[in-house]
Amino acid sequence: MRRLTPVASEKRLMVLDSASMYFRAFFGVPEVLAPDGTPVNAVRGFLDFISRLVGDYRPTHLVCAWDNDWRPQWRVDLIPSYKWHRVVAARPGPTPDIEEVPDPLEVQVPVIRAVLEAVGLCVVGADGYEADDVIGTLATGASMPVDVVTGDRDLFQLVDDSHGVRILYIARGVGNHERVTDEVVVGKYRVLPGQYADFATMRGDASDGLPGVAGIGEKTAASLLLKYGDLTGIVAAAADPESDMSPGPRRRILDAADYLEVAPTVVAVARDIDFAPYDATLPAAPRHPDLVDALAEQYNLDSPLRRLRAVLAG
């Protein structure tokens, strides 16, 4: 997808990594029950996260990126171990495998979707793609500055000061998030954001079932990228007996040739998904106010929805 140059405007897009946020809400907010006994702590926490972020940053547009497929088959075909440890039920064909999700959270996800729809907050997903890919495409194609809200450092590959793309990194909580810019990525990892996907490929990530290159940690990965530019240059230097690559890294890169042939495609987020039409304009009032009122009563959401309505009204 062609990257659009941001226009001089006060417009700003906020993209939420929805699953990252509602998982954090579930584990960070004490249990709260609806009148019928349904747990709603993740719903309440997610709504309060949105209220806080919208209040602090005042985006004009907002998208809740959704995992239509949390473990796409095209990634599994390349690296079978990809997220395998999270699978509780493997299903053949195009239907996504079932992810391990705590039962008290699983029942809340449909409630979150219903509330987002009633309020009129835009939800975008794409079959065969993860939320990360949705975020990558939105951030790459946006015609305005973008704030991506996530607890996933893999999305640091999207940071781009020149196009106004930054990460609001919530690993330590929404209230203690970090604004990740080019400078922050370089300061933390000694690589440019454009090199981060190659860096992550070599480092690996046990939480995603990515083994990385054995014996290549963050420091060595960064030094190799500094010297050779990108993973293609590193692999070429390892294969060239005349290059000045030292024996240890050379052997490790060559031993990992099969992994390095496929892993970059798995680690890099998609940037060219064709979405159905959507409207990301942040509403000033709920789209379906009567339904919002009904959901607030049914699920004990009066306080968080009242706060969200106040923030949307400005």
Side-chain angles (χ1 to χ4, degrees), residues 99-307:
E99 183 180 14
E100 183 178 11
V101 178
D103 290 343
L105 172 57
E106 187 173 12
V107 299
Q108 297 184 62
V109 176
V111 181
I112 291 171
R113 284 296 299 259
V115 172
L116 294 175
E117 170 62 26
V119 173
L121 298 181
C122 179
V123 177
V124 177
D127 290 346
Y129 292 96
E130 302 175 53
D132 285 6
D133 301 309
V134 173
I135 294 167
T137 299
L138 292 170
T140 300
S143 58
M144 63 189 79
V146 182
D147 286 325
V148 174
V149 182
T150 184
D152 184 355
R153 61 181 178 169
D154 287 344
L155 290 174
F156 289 0
Q157 63 188 274
L158 298 175
V159 171
D160 187 342
D161 286 1
S162 66
H163 290 86
V165 180
R166 64 185 178 184
I167 302 294
L168 305 183
Y169 188 50
I170 59 171
R172 292 179 294 185
V174 171
N176 192 31
H177 67 267
E178 180 179 17
R179 297 185 188 92
V180 179
T181 60
D182 288 9
E183 181 181 6
V184 172
V185 175
V186 172
K188 281 180 176 288
Y189 302 106
R190 300 294 185 258
V191 297
L192 297 169
Q195 298 173 307
Y196 189 86
D198 287 346
F199 171 78
T201 296
M202 287 187 285
R203 177 194 61 202
D205 188 341
S207 69
D208 281 340
L210 298 173
V213 178
I216 300 289
E218 291 191 351
K219 184 176 180 180
T220 302
S223 66
L224 290 171
L225 286 166
L226 177 64
K227 189 168 189 176
Y228 300 106
D230 57 21
L231 192 53
T232 299
I234 291 169
V235 171
D240 179 4
E242 301 301 318
S243 77
D244 60 353
M245 183 178 289
S246 58
R250 183 191 300 274
R251 183 183 69 257
R252 295 181 179 103
I253 294 296
L254 292 176
D255 287 347
D258 291 344
Y259 167 77
L260 292 174
E261 186 175 352
V262 297
T265 302
V266 175
V267 174
V269 299
R271 296 174 182 252
D272 57 357
I273 303 172
D274 290 325
F275 297 124
Y278 64 90
D279 182 5
T281 305
L282 193 65
R287 177 186 297 154
H288 305 293
D290 291 343
L291 181 54
V292 170
D293 290 341
L295 290 168
E297 181 176 357
Q298 180 179 358
Y299 291 108
N300 190 18
L301 301 174
D302 183 67
S303 295
L305 282 171
R306 186 169 61 250
R307 287 189 285 270

Side-chain angles (χ1 to χ4, degrees), residues 71 84 87-93 95-99:
R71 188 173 181 255
W84 174 250
V87 175
V88 294
R91 300 195 288 197
T95 305
D97 293 332
I98 299 175
E99 183 180 14

